[in-house]
Amino acid sequence: MHKELTKSEITGILQSQNIGRLGCTDGKHPYVIPITYFFDGKQIYCQSEEGKKISIMRKNANVCMQIDIVNSMRSYKSILIYGKFEELKNEEAVQASTLLEENIFVIMTRSRIHKFEHQEKSEIDDQHRIKLITFRINITEMTGRSEQEVNEMETNNLVA
Amino acid sequence: MHKELTKSEITGILQSQNIGRLGCTDGKHPYVIPITYFFDGKQIYCQSEEGKKISIMRKNANVCMQIDIVNSMRSYKSILIYGKFEELKNEEAVQASTLLEENIFVIMTRSRIHKFEHQEKSEIDDQHRIKLITFRINITEMTGRSEQEVNEMETNNLVA
């Protein structure tokens, strides 16, 4: 049975999870990728390497983040957060980065270095670290729904 | 450590899973929802109630399906399938519907009826069942990547 989630249920899910699916669009095609995030109670913070999604979001800041808790195909909660991508710089980027570090166990990519560079050098040079873009999703709208399991007897009646 | 997945690894993931995140766009905003699917080795089949996403996909057939197997933030596989939405009718819709029924344990929504109608009637009338739209995603492109855990010693060296 469907149920629309309340704002408080939606923010509860946002706070309890740290992996979402970020959607963006170049105007013609949609693009979806899994990403770790941190929700500070107001906005969503993420980090990502330079790449297709960052390039798309710089051109069209309209993004969405889909997050779900799936127990089974009969029982799940799913929320969809709409917002605006905002790239963070300088002090704001450092603060957000610290938030992410403190709140997400390990963001492995932060210390990842280019494999081949590493193999060629005995010392790790900071310039070979992959640079991360830190960004915020300024939330404009939140929706959510749940599908709840009905008990077996009720199911049989409905299907009959 | 990143790795691009081969076509065979990507179709392996498509075949092993049955829940994906479907992305579509109205040209301005992206839209992402979780959905059950069946992959017949060539194309992807889904069913959905009439609603926002069906309406968007009828106007812009460019869609994507993101599917992942996440062990941890350090270890996951994620694929992104691009394709064209095609609504199925008549015999094709029946065939696809049968495929979905046979291959996905239970698609609960198939037998869901409008709650209030059900309460008012002692008998279930087929006209009160929620009609499902059956559609195919004709795959145009597939990409995939994995993030693999490096062992603890290697991690320490990299982070040092």
Side-chain angles (χ1 to χ4, degrees):
Chain A
M1 193 186 294
H2 279 325
K3 183 178 158 289
E4 297 300 313
L5 300 178
T6 63
K7 193 184 168 191
S8 138
E9 288 172 316
I10 292 171
T11 52
I13 292 173
L14 250 179
Q15 249 148 355
S16 71
Q17 304 298 303
N18 52 30
I19 297 180
R21 276 82 189 181
L22 177 66
C24 56
T25 180
D26 61 7
K28 199 172 171 193
H29 297 90
Y31 187 62
V32 180
I33 48 116
I35 196 164
T36 51
Y37 71 88
F38 173 67
F39 175 62
D40 72 351
K42 290 182 179 170
Q43 313 300 352
I44 293 169
Y45 294 86
C46 301
Q47 280 186 320
S48 168
E49 294 170 25
E50 283 280 1
K52 190 171 177 177
K53 67 175 171 296
I54 293 288
S55 149
I56 289 174
M57 293 188 295
R58 281 182 183 139
K59 288 182 192 145
N60 178 9
N62 294 314
V63 298
C64 69
M65 181 80 91
Q66 186 270 329
I67 298 149
D68 50 48
I69 302 175
V70 177
N71 297 317
S72 72
M73 280 179 278
R74 297 183 191 195
S75 169
Y76 65 84
K77 291 176 182 172
S78 174
I79 61 173
L80 188 57
I81 312 297
Y82 295 92
K84 298 272 186 188
F85 164 86
E86 183 191 3
E87 194 169 336
L88 302 178
K89 301 277 185 189
N90 306 322
E91 191 54 35
E92 275 204 308
V94 174
Q95 281 173 5
S97 186
T98 307
L99 265 181
L100 281 157
E101 274 174 53
E102 286 172 354
N103 291 283
I104 300 180
F105 183 55
V106 177
I107 300 180
M108 270 301 286
T109 47
R110 196 167 167 70
S111 297
R112 194 194 308 135
I113 55 163
H114 289 290
K115 190 169 59 172
F116 300 111
E117 298 288 352
H118 178 48
Q119 283 166 351
E120 283 165 18
K121 287 168 170 276
S122 56
E123 279 185 30
I124 290 172
D125 182 341
D126 197 60
Q127 68 175 315
H128 297 116
R129 288 182 190 271
I130 292 171
K131 302 291 187 295
L132 291 180
I133 307 302
T134 304
F135 60 95
R136 177 163 56 209
I137 298 172
N138 296 301
I139 298 174
T140 53
E141 192 188 341
M142 305 196 291
T143 63
R145 65 194 285 180
S146 68
E147 180 73 38
Q148 280 180 310
E149 195 135 14
V150 286
N151 71 43
E152 209 53 33
M153 194 181 292
E154 198 181 344
T155 307
N156 289 338
N157 286 340
L158 292 177
V159 173
Chain B
M1 194 186 293
H2 279 326
K3 183 178 157 292
E4 296 300 313
L5 300 177
T6 63
K7 192 183 168 193
S8 139
E9 288 172 316
I10 292 170
T11 53
I13 291 172
L14 251 178
Q15 250 147 357
S16 72
Q17 304 298 302
N18 52 30
I19 297 180
R21 277 81 187 179
L22 177 67
C24 55
T25 179
D26 61 8
K28 199 171 169 193
H29 296 89
Y31 187 61
V32 179
I33 48 114
I35 195 164
T36 53
Y37 72 88
F38 172 68
F39 174 62
D40 72 350
K42 289 183 180 169
Q43 313 301 351
I44 293 169
Y45 294 87
C46 300
Q47 280 187 320
S48 169
E49 293 170 27
E50 284 278 1
K52 189 171 179 177
K53 68 176 171 295
I54 293 287
S55 149
I56 289 174
M57 292 189 295
R58 280 182 184 142
K59 288 181 192 146
N60 177 8
N62 295 314
V63 299
C64 69
M65 181 80 92
Q66 185 270 328
I67 298 149
D68 51 47
I69 302 175
V70 177
N71 298 317
S72 73
M73 279 179 280
R74 297 184 192 195
S75 169
Y76 65 84
K77 291 176 182 172
S78 175
I79 61 173
L80 189 57
I81 312 296
Y82 296 91
K84 297 273 185 186
F85 165 84
E86 183 190 3
E87 193 169 336
L88 302 178
K89 301 278 183 188
N90 306 323
E91 190 54 35
E92 275 202 309
V94 174
Q95 282 173 5
S97 186
T98 307
L99 265 181
L100 281 158
E101 274 174 55
E102 287 173 352
N103 291 283
I104 299 179
F105 183 56
V106 177
I107 300 180
M108 269 302 286
T109 47
R110 197 168 166 70
S111 296
R112 195 194 306 135
I113 55 165
H114 289 288
K115 190 170 57 172
F116 301 111
E117 297 289 352
H118 178 49
Q119 283 167 350
E120 283 166 19
K121 287 170 169 278
S122 56
E123 281 186 28
I124 291 172
D125 182 340
D126 196 60
Q127 69 175 316
H128 297 117
R129 289 181 189 272
I130 292 173
K131 301 293 187 295
L132 291 181
I133 307 302
T134 304
F135 60 96
R136 177 163 55 208
I137 298 173
N138 296 300
I139 298 174
T140 53
E141 192 189 341
M142 306 196 290
T143 64
R145 65 195 285 181
S146 68
E147 180 74 36
Q148 280 180 308
E149 196 134 16
V150 285
N151 71 43
E152 208 54 32
M153 194 180 292
E154 199 181 342
T155 307
N156 288 340
N157 286 340
L158 292 177
V159 172

